Amino acid sequence: MEEIKDTFLHPVVPLDFQNNYRVGAYLQRYLDGFKEKKILGAKCSQCGRVVVPPRKYCGACNLVMEEFTELPQEGTLENFTVGHVNLEKGQWKRADAPYVIGMVRLDGAANAMLARLNVSPADARAGMKVKAVWKDQVEGEHADLDCFEPA
Amino acid sequence: MEKKVAIAGFRIAAAPDLETTRERLVFDLSKGLLDDLGITRDAVDNFVFCSNDFMDGRTISHVFIGPAAGGYMKDQTKVEMDGLNAMIYASMGIISGQYDVTMVVALSLTGSQASPYLYTDYSLDPTYDRQLKLLNELSAAALEARSYLTAGGYPEELLDVVAAQDLKNAAANPGQARRIDGVSRERIKGSPYYYEPLRELHCYPPTDGGCAMLLVSEKKAKELTDKPVWLLGMGRSTDIYYLGDRDLSTSLSAAQAAERAYAMAGIKDPASELDLAEIMSLFAHQEPLLAEAMGLLEKGKAAAAYEAGDTAVEGRMPINPSGGPLGAHPICATGLIRAAEAARQLRGEAGENQVKKAGVALAHGQDGVCAQQSAVVILGT
C-alpha cells in the first residue's frame, strides 16, 4: 500500500470537564482548624497512631478514628528533594530557581506531610527541626499553611 | 504450583513515537503473534486487555481494540494499569479450567499521544495532594530515591552506576525505545536534574509501545510450542496510598508480592535459586531498592553488588538484562514486557544480552506512586 502521512486530530468532545469532590467531614475539620492556625490530626483508638491530615479510617486497624487531636507546629524534616523543574499539565518546565520540598513529621504524628520548605537548597538537611509558617490572612484553605522553615 | 499455564509466545513493540494508532498497534502485535505460532484467532478463547482510559482519552477504551486483536464475539475483559496484573488475571482463567488459550494485550501511546506524567497527576488525592500541587510522579520518585540512598548509606553515584548498566543492556536490545550507544556514567551524571537526586537519564523515557502474550494450558502448550515457559508462582500486594505513611526506603508491596510468589513456586532462597530478574524500575534507584525488597540483593550491599558486576548479564544475579524500563516504559505494558523479556531469556533468545544459565526467572510489575502496588511472577523452563 502507498505510504501516507498521518495527521493528529483533537477530539471533538474536549476533556476539559470538571469533577466536583466533596471534601468530607475530616478534611473539612482540618481546614476549619487552619482558620485558627491549628493543625489537627486524627487518633486511632486501637493503635494510638495520630495521622495528619486527619482521615476517617485507620488503614492498618480498619477502624473509624473518632478522636481529633491538635498537633504541635514543629517537627522534623525527614527527607527532601530539590526541584529543578515544575510539572504543569503533564509537561515539565525548568524552574526559575531550585526549590526545596520535603516530608515533615510533626512532633507526635505517626506520618509525614509533604510541604514546601523556606530554606535554601544548600542549607536543607534531613533531620533538621522545622516549624510551620502561616499566611498572614488565613481563609480555611490548604494554602493557609504556607511552608515550613528551620525552627 | 503444577505446570498449568505456559507462555506460548509474545511480541513487543516500543519506540519514542511508533507513528501508529492504538488499533493498528494492537492488530500488528496480536496478528503477528498468531502468525508466529501458525494459528488463527479461532484458536483463542479469551482476550484480556490492559490499558488506561484516561491515557487513551476515551472511556471503556478496549471496546475499540477488541476487534483489532481478533477478539470479535469472544470473552473480552480489561485490567486497568500494569500488564503483569493482566497476565496474572488471565492465568487464573486457565488455572480454573475455563479457558485453554488466552491473548493478553497491553499498550499505551505515552510517547507521542499523551503525557506519561499526567495520568499520575490525576491519580492523586483530589482533595489534598492535587490541591497542594507538590506531589507528582517525578517529585515522589525523587523523595523515594533520597530515602533509599540515605537508609542504605549509598552515594548519589549509585544511580549513575545502575542507569549505566541498564542503558548498556538497552542499547543491545532491539526491543527497546531508548538505545544510546556507548553511554557512560559521566554522560548520565551530566544529564540535567529533574528533582534531586534524579537526573534525566535516571528516569524512564516517555514511550509508545505494547506487548501481546499468548498464555496457554499445559495441553495446548505441547501443541503450540517447543519452548514453553511455565508460570511457577505469582503474588500481589498493595500498600497504603499516602507517601507520608510509608517507609520509602524500601517497598513493602514488592516484598510481600515476592514472598507470595516464592511460596507458590517453592523458592526458599531467591538470591541463589533465581537465575535472573526483570524488574519494573521506572527510575534508577528503584532497581536496587526493589531487588533488595524482594531478597535478590542483600540490604545495604547493593552498591558493592553493582560495582562487582553481580547484576550484569554475566553476573551472579543478572537484573534487567533487557535494559529494563529505563529503555522503554509504555505505561500498562511495562510489567507484561518484563515477563516477556524474562521468557525471552528462558527460551535462550536474548541475543547479546543472553544470560548463560537461565532456568528460573522473576518478573516484577508495579502501579501507583512509588510502587504502591506490586505484582511478581516466577517463570521457569
Side-chain angles (χ1 to χ4, degrees):
Chain A
M1 201 172 79
E2 187 192 347
E3 283 289 323
I4 52 156
K5 178 131 183 73
D6 280 350
T7 54
F8 285 86
L9 292 177
H10 296 291
V12 291
V13 178
L15 289 171
D16 58 358
F17 55 84
Q18 187 168 304
N19 286 89
N20 297 312
Y21 287 91
R22 194 180 289 281
V23 164
Y26 279 62
L27 199 61
Q28 189 62 60
R29 193 140 167 198
Y30 173 75
L31 292 172
D32 287 346
F34 279 14
K35 290 178 187 164
E36 299 165 40
K37 299 189 178 178
K38 285 182 177 172
I39 303 175
L40 295 178
K43 186 174 181 179
C44 174
S45 61
Q46 182 160 296
C47 68
R49 283 162 41 100
V50 175
V51 296
V52 58
R55 42 182 189 260
K56 187 166 184 177
Y57 300 98
C58 173
C61 300
N62 197 23
L63 285 175
V64 174
M65 295 199 270
E66 287 172 352
E67 190 186 333
F68 284 88
T69 178
E70 187 184 344
L71 284 153
Q73 311 237 334
E74 296 196 356
T76 306
L77 177 64
E78 293 203 325
N79 184 12
F80 68 93
T81 176
V82 178
H84 292 258
V85 296
N86 287 302
L87 273 173
E88 280 289 333
K89 295 192 171 174
Q91 307 297 322
W92 60 261
K93 293 194 178 76
R94 289 272 141 213
D96 295 335
Y99 58 94
V100 182
I101 58 175
M103 308 293 286
V104 173
R105 190 184 299 262
L106 295 176
D107 295 341
N111 65 339
M113 311 164 75
L114 186 59
R116 212 165 57 77
L117 275 298
N118 183 23
V119 59
S120 77
D123 294 336
R125 294 279 177 276
M128 76 194 294
K129 298 297 285 182
V130 292
K131 64 178 182 196
V133 179
W134 296 90
K135 288 226 163 104
D136 293 337
Q137 287 286 342
V138 288
E139 315 269 353
E141 50 192 45
H142 285 291
D144 293 347
L145 181 52
D146 190 39
C147 62
F148 283 79
E149 65 179 19
Chain B
M1 186 177 164
E2 290 169 49
K3 288 182 173 178
K4 282 183 178 163
V5 180
I7 299 172
F10 54 86
R11 280 232 177 174
I12 299 171
D17 182 353
L18 280 172
E19 297 183 25
T20 190
T21 66
R22 292 168 178 86
E23 290 80 355
R24 220 159 67 203
L25 173 60
V26 167
F27 177 80
D28 290 345
L29 287 168
S30 314
K31 188 67 163 70
L33 179 50
L34 294 176
D35 290 348
D36 289 345
L37 294 164
I39 56 175
T40 67
R41 75 180 198 91
D42 295 337
V44 185
D45 43 28
N46 183 27
F47 288 76
V48 175
F49 299 105
C50 184
S51 60
N52 174 275
D53 289 358
F54 181 82
M55 289 185 299
D56 285 355
R58 56 195 188 193
T59 57
I60 326 173
S61 178
H62 67 287
V63 300
F64 296 92
I65 58 176
Y72 172 70
M73 295 312 288
K74 307 265 187 176
D75 189 339
Q76 294 179 24
T77 44
K78 188 189 86 168
V79 171
E80 182 93 354
M81 298 315 295
D82 189 57
L84 204 61
N85 291 313
M87 181 186 169
I88 289 175
Y89 166 63
S91 299
M92 289 171 181
I94 296 172
I95 294 166
S96 76
Q98 185 170 15
Y99 296 119
D100 280 311
V101 181
T102 297
M103 175 80 81
V104 186
V105 188
L107 76 149
S108 74
L109 298 180
T110 42
S112 68
Q113 299 188 29
S115 159
Y117 310 120
L118 201 55
Y119 94 91
T120 301
D121 283 356
Y122 276 81
S123 75
L124 300 177
D125 182 342
T127 59
Y128 186 66
D129 287 316
R130 274 199 239 168
Q131 303 297 321
L132 298 185
K133 295 182 183 167
L134 299 173
L135 195 64
N136 58 55
E137 190 178 15
L138 297 175
S139 66
L143 287 165
E144 184 189 45
R146 182 71 81 195
S147 182
Y148 171 69
L149 294 177
T150 304
Y154 298 126
E156 207 174 302
E157 285 68 27
L158 174 60
L159 305 182
D160 306 329
V161 174
V162 173
Q165 180 188 287
D166 280 342
L167 293 176
K168 174 174 174 265
N169 291 344
N173 180 354
Q176 290 282 24
R178 183 200 257 156
R179 301 176 68 202
I180 310 170
D181 276 337
V183 68
S184 64
R185 293 179 189 182
E186 291 67 33
R187 173 156 176 202
I188 292 162
K189 202 174 174 51
S191 66
Y193 275 129
Y194 287 156
Y195 289 85
E196 293 181 34
L198 292 179
R199 299 173 181 278
E200 183 190 345
L201 290 177
H202 298 143
C203 304
Y204 71 80
T207 309
D208 280 359
C211 179
M213 180 181 281
L214 202 75
L215 295 173
V216 297
S217 63
E218 189 173 7
K219 182 178 72 182
K220 286 287 176 185
K222 289 189 178 121
E223 291 174 24
L224 289 175
T225 176
D226 299 330
K227 293 181 180 174
V229 170
W230 299 99
L231 177 64
L232 305 179
M234 54 196 186
R236 302 200 290 164
S237 179
T238 305
D239 203 340
I240 194 164
Y241 161 82
Y242 301 98
L243 286 194
D245 287 40
R246 292 197 235 159
D247 177 1
L248 292 180
S249 72
T250 183
S251 172
L252 208 50
S253 71
Q256 290 194 346
E259 200 178 298
R260 288 163 193 169
Y262 296 153
M264 204 164 169
I267 288 174
K268 305 271 188 298
D269 179 13
S272 66
E273 291 177 59
L274 293 170
D275 298 319
L276 68 114
E278 281 288 335
I279 297 176
M280 189 169 154
S281 48
L282 303 178
F283 304 92
H285 70 279
Q286 285 190 341
E287 192 178 279
L289 184 159
L290 293 163
E292 286 184 9
M294 295 189 288
L296 307 177
L297 297 175
E298 205 179 322
K299 280 215 162 130
K301 304 274 174 65
Y306 275 87
E307 283 294 355
D310 290 352
T311 54
V313 169
E314 62 281 1
R316 188 177 53 79
M317 180 71 248
I319 295 178
N320 281 335
S322 70
L326 291 199
H329 176 36
I331 300 173
C332 293
T334 310
L336 190 63
I337 291 175
R338 301 279 69 73
E341 289 286 5
R344 200 202 300 278
Q345 287 283 348
L346 297 174
R347 286 158 59 131
E349 296 170 352
E352 220 177 294
N353 290 345
Q354 181 62 48
V355 170
K356 253 192 198 141
K357 177 188 166 287
V360 186
L362 173 147
H364 165 270
Q366 62 152 300
D367 179 28
V369 178
C370 298
Q372 184 189 350
Q373 192 260 333
S374 278
V376 171
V377 301
I378 308 297
L379 301 170
T381 47

